[in-house]
Each structure stands twice: as C-alpha cells, then as structure tokens.
Amino acid sequence: MSAAVDDELWSAIGDPIRRTMIDLLLADGPGTATSLSRRLPVTRQAVSKHLAVLDRVGLIHAEPAGRERHYQVDEAQLARAVAQLSAVGSTWDARLRRIKRIAETIERHRTTNQGG
Amino acid sequence: MSAAVDDELWSAIGDPIRRTMIDLLLADGPGTATSLSRRLPVTRQAVSKHLAVLDRVGLIHAEPAGRERHYQVDEAQLARAVAQLSAVGSTWDARLRRIKRIAETIERHRTTNQGG
DNA sequence: GGTTGAGTGCAACCAAAGGTTGCGAAAGGT
DNA sequence: ACCTTTCGCAACCTTTGGTTGCACTCAACC
C-alpha cells in the first residue's frame, strides 16, 4: 500500500517546516529561500536544504531568475501527496469504525446473555 | 492553524515505521514490541523506541500483562490525528483548486484579448 | 523449587537529518 | 566602480532512528 516513492513523499510533507513552506508557497505564490526564511523560524540555509528535499521529490520546482531562484509548487505532485494523506486517513478511519462496531456488538451480546 | 500539540501528532505519524505500526495494531489488534518487530524491518529495540514516541503523544497506550506489555491504539487520539491529516489535505486541495481556477481565468482573458 | 527461555528495559555506540555559523561568489542597484 | 542582496558550499553541532550487548523479570517446565 505504501511503496518507496510514496514514503519519500510522506517524509517530505512529514516535516512541519516543509509543510509550512508548502503552505506559504501555495498562499503567496512563488518564493525564494530568502523570502521564505523571513517568514519561518529557521535560517535561510535550513530553508534552502528543505527546498532541496522538496525539489528532489518533485513537490516543487525552481526557476532561476537573475540572482534569485523562484520556487513554486508542482500542482500535480502535491495532488498526489494529498491523495496519499486522504488514503491513509480513510484507511485508519475505516478500521476505527470497524473496531467500534465490533466492540458494540460484543457489548450487546454480553448484556443480552448475562443481563448485567 | 498548526499548534505545538498538533505538530507532535504529525511528527509521530510522519515516520513510515510508526505509521506501519499503527496499521498493524489496527489490523491485528493489540501487540507487543516483540510481536511488532517480527513484522517490521527493524529490531525490537527500535520498535520499542517508536512505541515510546507513540505512547508519549497518546496515540497508543500500554497494558502490562505478566512479562509482556500489550500496546493498543487510542481510538480517540488517532481520530484526532486523522482529522489533522484531512484538514491539511483539504486545505491544500482547496488552494490547488483556487490556483487552477485563477490560471484558467487568466488563460481565458489572454485568448480573448490577443486571440492566440 | 531451580533452571531455562521469552520478553523487556537500559546503555553505549553509529549514521543520517535538521539546524547553525562563516565564507566566497554571482548578480543588481547606486 | 562600489555596495548590497542573494545564493551555494563547507564545517560543525544536536537530535533522531537504528544497532548491538547486557542485565532483569516473569512464566513455564522438569
């Protein structure tokens, strides 16, 4: 269910800083390492490393513009990541519901048979 | 939007091993560090550390049974985690849709004004 | 009841990841 | 030309995930 590529995607969006970075890029449009670092609690170099990670898994791509490097979200890849998220979420959700249903069934049997 | 507690939850389920562990606990019911390590590509000690992390954020809780420690998923807390997942997912999804709509609008304007 | 075996916890040690500082190089503004 | 901004690289530190090794506990069995 979770292959190697998917794991890469997950660990990419698993980091809170990287998640916030994607949030910022989505909300404010393309940005640079410096512009992002101004809105994050880490240094520009740390942001730069995170950008490299996100770039490596294809969640963002860079566009050189003079002395700046504009990064922007790859919509298709992010859509894939979102699909992963909701897949895991719904799997767990379904299992939780199943467990709850079984528990209720057992409870019902017990009260029916023992009466208290 | 993402507080400190939520970040803890996220980083807990961000690890692929921990995600698989939750999967196993949900699918097969309560298990021990040893039983889980038999179905995972890491040693018992590594599993034990992951169990400690999951326990610390409240996603699972242990139940001593003789010389064994049975861990099982805390349904309420996992439900919260699932809610986090779908929240982030739907946020990104909405922004992606918004971006796409804007892009289409721009494209439409361009073709209307310049004709190609 | 002592021995043996499975399960656990603790400690030491290693490698990778995230973060920082420092520096040098390229590109733009004055 | 000069200064500023932005970037990339390298060294270093800390945390985290992983391993091995060892000692302890509890259950089972003779």
Side-chain angles (χ1 to χ4, degrees):
Chain A
M1 201 171 274
S2 48
V5 179
D6 301 346
D7 252 18
E8 295 244 322
L9 260 188
W10 254 99
S11 65
I13 61 178
D15 186 282
I17 296 280
R18 287 198 282 264
R19 236 173 13 252
T20 307
M21 284 168 59
I22 292 175
D23 257 359
L24 289 174
L25 287 178
L26 283 177
D28 306 346
T32 67
T34 304
S35 74
L36 286 172
S37 71
R38 276 196 281 260
R39 315 192 52 184
L40 288 167
V42 293
T43 61
R44 191 207 89 225
Q45 284 80 354
V47 171
S48 188
K49 290 185 186 177
H50 284 302
L51 286 171
V53 172
L54 290 173
D55 194 19
R56 191 145 34 81
V57 301
L59 276 170
I60 63 175
H61 48 83
E63 196 174 343
R67 71 180 160 183
E68 299 183 351
R69 268 176 87 82
H70 290 256
Y71 289 89
Q72 75 182 65
V73 173
D74 182 308
E75 306 181 12
Q77 191 73 351
L78 182 60
R80 282 193 56 190
V82 171
Q84 305 279 327
L85 285 186
S86 59
V88 171
S90 58
T91 297
W92 286 351
D93 204 48
R95 290 195 178 148
L96 282 178
R97 266 203 295 272
R98 189 168 58 84
I99 289 171
K100 191 165 291 182
R101 200 172 61 238
I102 291 172
E104 285 170 359
T105 303
I106 291 173
E107 183 61 25
R108 204 173 308 127
H109 275 234
R110 189 153 50 198
T111 53
T112 305
N113 292 338
Q114 303 192 177
Chain B
M1 204 170 274
S2 47
V5 179
D6 301 346
D7 253 18
E8 295 245 323
L9 259 188
W10 254 99
S11 66
I13 61 178
D15 187 282
I17 295 280
R18 288 197 281 264
R19 235 172 15 251
T20 307
M21 283 168 59
I22 291 175
D23 257 359
L24 289 173
L25 288 179
L26 282 176
D28 306 346
T32 67
T34 304
S35 74
L36 286 172
S37 70
R38 276 196 283 260
R39 315 193 51 185
L40 289 168
V42 292
T43 61
R44 192 209 89 226
Q45 284 81 351
V47 171
S48 190
K49 290 185 186 178
H50 285 303
L51 285 171
V53 172
L54 290 174
D55 194 19
R56 191 146 32 82
V57 301
L59 275 170
I60 63 175
H61 48 84
E63 197 174 342
R67 69 180 160 184
E68 299 183 351
R69 268 176 87 83
H70 290 257
Y71 290 88
Q72 77 181 63
V73 174
D74 182 307
E75 306 181 12
Q77 191 72 349
L78 183 60
R80 282 193 56 191
V82 170
Q84 305 280 326
L85 286 186
S86 57
V88 171
S90 58
T91 297
W92 286 351
D93 204 46
R95 290 197 177 148
L96 281 177
R97 266 202 295 272
R98 189 168 59 84
I99 289 170
K100 192 164 290 179
R101 201 173 59 238
I102 291 172
E104 286 170 0
T105 303
I106 292 173
E107 182 61 25
R108 205 172 306 127
H109 275 233
R110 188 152 51 198
T111 52
T112 306
N113 294 338
Q114 305 192 176

